[in-house]
Amino acid sequence: MAEARTANRPVLRVLSGEAIAPPPAWMMRQAGRYLPEYRATRAEAGSFLDLCYNPAFATEVTLQPIRRFGFEASILFSDILVVPHALGQDVRFVEGEGPRLDALEGRAQFERLREAGDPAIFSHLAPVFEAVERIRGALPHETTLLGFCGAPWTVASYMIGGRGTPDLAPARALAASDPALLDALLDRLVTVQTEYLVRQLRAGADAVQIFESHAGVLPDTADGDALARFSLGPIARMIEGIRAQVPGARIIVFARGSGLEGHARVVPETGADAVGVDWGVDLAALRARVPAATVTQGNLHPETLIEGGRALDAAVDAILAATDGTPHIFNLGHGITPQTPIAHVERMLARLRAGR
Ligand code: CP3
């Protein structure tokens, strides 16, 4: 079954190691506030979480960028923070400020979270699986559907801090004061999110992406390898667990802020099929550093997309040059921002697809 689907879906072909020119494309946060149709559906849904938990609305916004731009991949509309919510933590999205959670400051709050085997976790998340089913049914055959979740460290850092902070001080402080508690939280997230991605794959996702947005800020470790201990290790455990239940599952890992060396370690140390590359990494240098068969994705600076014009053309050309003849999926190096002109997305795709 998987083989037949792979044949006609360019993103899955690249994830299997094939180089395609020009590369297939999608954008992180492609369903978002830069689109008027997203803003309209978002207003109709009410709050951001209402949008995430309503399968009809979530399906609609997922399809909007596909209709408008014909991207080769579609990503489930949801958020990485629905998992802490399903674990029983209070999660809200404050307009203009981002996510707010009731900070997990110690053992008392951890004890109140749902245990990994609690069926209430997946009944809470049932609308997500229903959205996946509906989206797969509505997408063009050739469009790949990606499911996703946050990596354990990134999700844990939001759960502990209650919000995103540049230095992740609360999560790093907990790592120092009660390392066993941080490990217990990471383990819970590994177990629950392994099951979460398995269920997304069974509901119809063709592949999944794990977002480690906080790979650049990690606690100190005695051996100096915090990336292995807190990020790549837990992700590797998830991937092993997913593949034990869904053999051959295709998985992309985006370890933002981990630098050239960190990016080079993602595939060998996690078993992922592809590494998502942030905008801070020199893509040509990364391609030179990793085996030619390594599948890469991403790297266009979201600010260059805002800038547009010749700078954008040059950046698209540079990515094509850096990845020529190698398996690559065209994408941004982080999510598209609300102020990005739609005309610039069109220009980016025209430049990319010019050779077709
Ligand atoms: O990419 C997509 O189109 C799929 C949907 C998606 C969203 N969030 C929708 C969203 C995905 C894959 C995410 C992942 C996510 N969420 C990450 C990892 C990727 C990254 O950006 O680093 C993180 C860290 C979060 C947590 C989160 N959610 C933050 C920090 C914010 C606020 C930032 C902002 O732009 O306001 C969100 C809100 C959010 N998630 C929005 C969207 C479209 C904007 C909310 C709105 O419509 O008001």
Side-chain angles (χ1 to χ4, degrees):
M1 182 188 77
E3 289 307 315
R5 293 197 316 209
T6 305
N8 300 321
R9 295 190 176 141
V11 168
L12 288 182
R13 281 164 51 203
V14 176
L15 288 175
S16 307
E18 190 182 332
I20 301 182
W26 68 281
M27 297 190 304
M28 289 188 276
R29 290 271 167 98
Q30 63 190 14
R33 287 163 292 182
Y34 73 108
L35 291 178
E37 59 269 37
Y38 171 86
R39 296 194 298 268
T41 310
R42 166 97 158 68
E44 211 185 322
S47 76
F48 175 70
L49 281 176
D50 288 334
L51 181 55
C52 291
Y53 292 130
N54 180 314
F57 285 138
T59 300
E60 168 57 23
V61 294
T62 303
L63 296 172
Q64 286 168 350
I66 306 303
R67 288 191 202 114
R68 194 186 262 273
F69 304 113
F71 289 118
E72 280 81 8
S74 158
I75 183 160
L76 161 71
F77 189 86
S78 185
D79 198 85
I80 64 169
L81 300 177
V82 299
V83 170
H85 203 208
L87 287 172
Q89 203 171 11
D90 191 47
V91 177
R92 16 190 219 286
F93 283 82
V94 182
E95 210 61 54
E97 286 182 39
R100 291 287 179 278
L101 297 78
D102 280 348
L104 191 159
E105 282 158 348
R107 293 199 171 243
Q109 285 110 332
F110 179 75
E111 301 302 336
R112 284 202 288 272
L113 294 179
R114 290 184 173 127
E115 306 265 3
D118 188 335
I121 296 172
F122 290 103
S123 18
H124 179 102
L125 296 168
V128 175
F129 310 124
E130 191 186 330
V132 170
E133 258 182 71
R134 287 190 189 214
I135 297 162
R136 187 58 273 174
L139 277 176
H141 175 81
E142 64 280 8
T143 312
T144 295
L145 174 56
L146 301 170
F148 74 91
C149 72
W153 164 248
T154 292
V155 176
S157 66
Y158 276 106
M159 292 177 79
I160 297 162
R163 59 199 293 170
T165 54
D167 61 359
L168 306 183
R172 290 187 303 114
L174 187 74
S177 66
D178 195 346
L181 180 59
L182 177 59
D183 280 337
L185 179 57
L186 292 171
D187 284 347
R188 177 99 31 115
L189 289 167
V190 166
T191 308
V192 168
Q193 297 198 125
T194 297
E195 178 78 23
Y196 184 45
L197 292 185
V198 164
R199 289 187 188 226
Q200 290 183 28
L201 288 160
R202 292 197 172 136
D206 299 296
V208 292
Q209 176 156 321
I210 299 175
F211 287 88
E212 183 73 289
S213 302
H214 294 170
V217 185
L218 296 163
D220 295 328
T221 50
D223 68 357
D225 196 356
L227 189 66
R229 165 95 169 74
F230 294 105
S231 177
L232 302 182
I235 293 170
R237 301 211 302 277
M238 282 183 60
I239 292 179
E240 197 187 351
I242 294 165
R243 296 234 178 90
Q245 296 185 70
V246 184
R250 296 289 183 208
I251 301 166
I252 306 166
V253 171
F254 176 59
R256 183 167 76 91
S258 63
L260 180 71
E261 269 313 301
H263 279 71
R265 292 172 58 183
V266 165
V267 168
E269 292 186 33
T270 67
D273 297 283
V275 53
V277 186
D278 72 27
W279 53 261
V281 165
D282 179 335
L283 186 56
L286 179 67
R287 289 274 12 158
R289 169 79 180 65
V290 299
T294 301
V295 182
T296 51
Q297 168 181 280
N299 185 244
L300 182 75
H301 200 314
E303 284 173 13
T304 310
L305 189 57
I306 297 173
E307 192 181 345
R310 288 175 192 277
L312 175 58
D313 292 348
V316 171
D317 293 352
I319 289 173
L320 293 180
T323 59
D324 189 32
T326 66
H328 181 74
I329 299 164
F330 192 90
N331 203 322
L332 309 183
H334 198 196
I336 185 171
T337 55
Q339 68 270 36
T340 310
I342 288 171
H344 295 186
V345 177
E346 290 164 348
R347 182 174 181 135
M348 173 191 85
L349 289 173
R351 186 82 182 180
L352 179 68
R353 292 168 175 167
R356 213 171 261 180

